[in-house]
């Protein structure tokens, strides 16, 4: 798993009134991280209401690269700069591959057993492998160029992965969490 894609989730709770300073800090650290070897993307989830909780989601192409970023002098220097703005220390979680779908927020000690991950993933993906190609059928008939086997399979795969990551799994894991994490 050393070369698996790694998701680094960092949470900062900001002191009330320090949001503008924190946003300025984000404008410094994000480009520094993006220039780091193995970086694949960053998303910032800003606070809802007055919670002050920022969640920064970073993706790297390997454990070695994420570890390199975490231990880098650049990051250490930037973290020292932001610490006075934090209501409490940062919270960091690492996840690889599909594991990120199966880690409920606030439950880092709970891990879904692999056979349960398999069953939940299969039960979500199998219907999509039937429904998505069927839904693309009219598009492929209307635009024969898109119906080329490799392109058609690619489009179906993109749709399935998009639905899994952004639509189905976040909701589905919450729905079955009682069973999944038992």
């Amino acid at each position: 798993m050393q070369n698996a894609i790694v998701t680094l989730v960092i949470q900062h709770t900001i002191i009330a009134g320090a949001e503008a300073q924190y946003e300025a800090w984000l404008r410094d650290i994000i480009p520094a991280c993006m220039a780091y070897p193995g970086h694949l993307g960053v998303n910032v989830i800003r606070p809802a209401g007055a919670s002050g909780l920022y969640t920064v989601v970073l993706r790297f192409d390997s454990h070695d690269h994420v570890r390199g970023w975490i231990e880098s002098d650049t990051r250490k220097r930037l973290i020292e700069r932001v610490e006075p703005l934090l209501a409490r220390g940062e919270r960091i979680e690492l996840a690889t591959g599909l594991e990120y779908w199966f880690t409920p927020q606030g439950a880092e000690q709970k891990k879904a057993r692999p056979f349960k991950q398999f069953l939940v993933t299969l039960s979500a993906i199998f219907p999509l492998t039937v429904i998505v190609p069927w839904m693309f059928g009219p598009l492929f008939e209307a635009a024969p160029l898109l119906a080329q086997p490799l392109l058609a399979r690619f489009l179906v795969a993109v749709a399935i992965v998009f639905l899994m990551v952004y639509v189905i799994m976040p909701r589905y894991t919450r729905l079955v969490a009682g069973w999944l994490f038992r």
Side-chain angles (χ1 to χ4, degrees), residues 148-164:
Q148 298 299 316
L150 190 59
L151 182 56
R153 287 186 180 111
F154 175 75
L155 292 173
V156 167
V158 166
I160 289 172
V161 171
F162 176 84
L163 289 169
M164 287 292 292

Side-chain angles (χ1 to χ4, degrees), residues 119-131:
L119 291 174
V120 169
T121 305
L122 179 65
S123 68
I125 288 179
F126 177 71
L128 291 176
T129 63
V130 174
I131 295 168

Side-chain angles (χ1 to χ4, degrees), residues 50-176:
S51 72
L53 178 65
Y54 282 78
T55 301
V56 181
V57 181
L58 304 163
R59 294 182 49 88
F60 284 86
D61 64 0
S62 71
H63 278 277
D64 291 338
H65 283 142
V66 77
R67 188 178 323 110
W69 167 247
I70 290 170
E71 296 171 358
S72 73
D73 290 337
T74 301
R75 183 178 186 280
K76 287 177 184 173
R77 193 170 43 258
L78 286 162
I79 293 298
E80 285 175 10
R81 198 176 99 202
V82 81
E83 282 177 341
L85 307 177
L86 304 180
R88 56 182 165 265
E90 69 181 356
R91 180 175 158 216
I92 296 178
E93 289 182 47
L94 280 174
T96 57
L98 298 178
E99 176 185 308
Y100 183 65
W101 287 341
F102 298 103
T103 305
Q105 188 168 353
E108 56 273 6
Q109 71 277 15
K110 293 182 179 180
K111 300 290 181 192
R113 295 178 59 195
F115 86 92
K116 289 183 177 184
Q117 291 181 31
F118 169 81
L119 291 174
V120 169
T121 305
L122 179 65
S123 68
I125 288 179
F126 177 71
L128 291 176
T129 63
V130 174
I131 295 168
V132 171
W134 174 77
M135 290 179 67
F136 271 89
L139 175 65
F140 294 151
E141 286 179 23
L145 180 62
L146 296 178
Q148 298 299 316
L150 190 59
L151 182 56
R153 287 186 180 111
F154 175 75
L155 292 173
V156 167
V158 166
I160 289 172
V161 171
F162 176 84
L163 289 169
M164 287 292 292
V165 171
Y166 295 106
V167 179
I168 295 170
M169 291 310 286
R171 291 164 181 83
Y172 192 27
T173 53
R174 280 193 300 271
L175 179 69
V176 298

